[in-house]
């Protein structure tokens, strides 16, 4: 059962579980110190992120990041194939 709880820790941290399942997890954490530590630390991290002030992201920041990405040789073009309805069908010559 602890394997199930370890898979649900991220939902617990975001307060996305039903109340009864959250209570079950807290009871299980009393018996498993590793589970308790993971639940506590992840919930604290999620709370801090949700309560953090918004980040100001300017056009200058965007351009700086873009230049760093290009400097590292990252190909930013999408890799999706061209849809078949946009391709021309050429006649076959025999």
């Amino acid at each position: 059962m602890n394997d199930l709880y370890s898979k649900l820790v991220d939902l617990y941290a975001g307060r996305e579980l039903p109340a009864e399942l959250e209570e079950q997890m807290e009871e299980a954490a009393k018996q498993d110190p590793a589970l308790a530590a993971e639940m506590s630390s992840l919930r604290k991290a999620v709370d801090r992120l949700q309560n953090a002030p918004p980040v100001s992201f300017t056009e200058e920041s965007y351009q700086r990041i873009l230049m760093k990405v290009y400097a590292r040789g990252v190909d930013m073009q999408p890799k999706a194939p061209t849809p078949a309805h946009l391709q021309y069908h050429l006649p076959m010559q025999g």
Side-chain angles (χ1 to χ4, degrees), residues 19-36:
E20 61 188 39
L21 187 53
E22 188 169 315
E23 290 173 11
Q24 287 178 4
M25 286 191 68
E26 289 170 352
E27 286 298 318
K30 291 177 183 175
Q31 307 301 321
D32 186 350
L35 179 63

Side-chain angles (χ1 to χ4, degrees), residues 10-17 22 43 46-47 50:
D10 58 338
L11 295 175
Y12 172 84
R15 291 174 168 62
E16 299 175 39
L17 292 174
E22 188 169 315
R43 182 165 271 185
V46 169
D47 288 345
Q50 289 177 341

Side-chain angles (χ1 to χ4, degrees), residues 78-84 86-87:
K79 300 294 181 195
T82 305
L86 295 178
Q87 297 177 358

Side-chain angles (χ1 to χ4, degrees), residues 17-74:
L17 292 174
E20 61 188 39
L21 187 53
E22 188 169 315
E23 290 173 11
Q24 287 178 4
M25 286 191 68
E26 289 170 352
E27 286 298 318
K30 291 177 183 175
Q31 307 301 321
D32 186 350
L35 179 63
E38 187 176 0
M39 287 168 58
S40 174
S41 66
L42 194 54
R43 182 165 271 185
K44 286 178 186 174
V46 169
D47 288 345
R48 284 184 182 161
L49 288 171
Q50 289 177 341
N51 295 326
V55 177
S56 64
F57 189 74
T58 63
E59 181 65 27
E60 180 183 339
S61 301
Y62 173 77
Q63 292 300 326
R64 261 194 354 260
I65 293 169
L66 193 60
M67 289 302 113
K68 286 182 180 183
V69 168
Y70 286 150
R72 292 185 181 173
V74 176

Side-chain angles (χ1 to χ4, degrees), residues 75-81:
D75 181 16
M76 304 258 309
Q77 298 300 318
K79 300 294 181 195

